[in-house]
Amino acid sequence: MSVSHAQLKAFHAVAVHGSFTRAAERLYLTQPAVSDQVRKLEERFGVLLFHRNKRSVQLTDLGQRLLAITQRLFVAEAEAKELLQDSQALQTGSLVLAVDAPVHVLAQVARFCQLYPGINVRIETGNTDESLLRLFSYQADLALLGREVDDERLWSLTLCNDPMVAFVSRNHPWAERQSICLADLDDTPMVLRETGSVTRQIVEAEMHRAGLRIRPAIQVEGREAAREAVVAGIGVGVVSAAEFGADSRICALPIVDCQQRMTETLVCLREQRSRRIVATFLDLVLDNQQSHP
């Protein structure tokens, strides 16, 4: 009994994106068409691949096992397509980067876009855990992580290693200071990132090491939200020095006794390292590192 490629593709899209609607958008099909393909696949083999409810779909145990197979299938398909398109010199295709901090790769992305204008490049932002999840679920080709990850499935390249700085609004009592120490943050209202944020994990680890108390003023998702909360005077924020950026509304304060630093690591799945589009971007990054040590 043969398996329809279109049905497997529809199943894979729903499994990866967790929604028939989002799967339809990615496949440029209607939602009923995707639902019909998955239904036919289930009926053909007399199986249940998804638990469905009004708000979401969840993979069954069998669906999880099939997803592991379709992930390998469509990676191989992408590799075959790229091999056949080699003569086009990367004139078409797409590259998706899941990043925790775009600033660390924007220069390389800009150069890549100049060299290969036919490639559709997309940057998706999220914390390190979210970026890693996108990579492992084949929703991204590369991921930029705020920490080193020891996983044999990954090929990795360290981009930078930067100290942490606190930052406050220009009208904050600390605005005229040149630096602070961890003790200054003891029981001070702080703007904290979400739980999965490496920035937050570093702050919590350093304060715990020093035996100091963290006083959350607010928890926000993302660097931009943290910046705006600090500007509004809600509390003190913390970020890596490289990600502080230029903003006249706030000022940076080095934390002189903070031992941990923020490491940014670019990773891809080892099985995808040889894909031409991935290899080309990584080679560009490596060349940049060698020319700017």
Side-chain angles (χ1 to χ4, degrees), residues 90 95-97 105 108-109 111-112 115-116 135 141-144 154-159 265-290:
L90 292 180
L95 181 69
V96 180
L97 295 93
V105 291
Q108 292 89 340
V109 168
R111 179 61 178 156
F112 185 86
L115 293 172
Y116 309 103
L135 185 72
D141 303 299
L142 295 153
L144 182 64
L154 299 176
W155 182 93
S156 63
L157 173 66
T158 300
L159 296 188
T265 305
L266 186 64
V267 302
C268 70
L269 296 175
R270 286 192 181 277
E271 66 194 55
Q272 299 214 46
R273 174 64 177 90
S274 61
R275 283 183 57 205
R276 189 159 185 257
I277 197 166
V278 173
T280 300
F281 184 83
L282 291 174
D283 288 345
L284 188 152
V285 174
L286 287 166
D287 288 343
N288 181 75
Q289 283 194 325
Q290 292 170 2

Side-chain angles (χ1 to χ4, degrees), residues 7-41:
Q7 291 170 0
L8 286 178
K9 195 168 185 179
F11 159 80
H12 182 78
V14 175
V16 167
H17 299 293
S19 161
F20 283 89
T21 301
R22 288 194 293 272
E25 291 171 353
R26 292 300 178 94
L27 294 176
Y28 299 100
L29 297 172
T30 64
Q31 187 270 334
V34 173
S35 297
D36 186 58
Q37 291 283 16
V38 173
R39 179 184 57 78
K40 287 179 178 177
L41 180 62

Side-chain angles (χ1 to χ4, degrees), residues 99-105 126-128 144-147 160-165 167 193 197-200 202 222-224 226-227 238-247 250 252 261-265:
V99 305
D100 71 323
V103 64
H104 298 291
V105 291
N127 63 41
T128 288
L144 182 64
L145 313 176
R147 66 170 183 271
C160 58
N161 184 267
D162 299 297
M164 307 299 293
V165 298
F167 63 100
R193 290 281 305 280
S197 162
V198 174
T199 300
R200 176 168 178 167
I202 290 176
R223 288 175 180 80
E224 291 305 315
R227 183 182 297 263
V238 176
V239 72
S240 77
E243 296 163 13
F244 177 72
D247 191 326
I250 56 177
R261 298 166 69 92
M262 178 72 83
T263 298
E264 292 292 336
T265 305

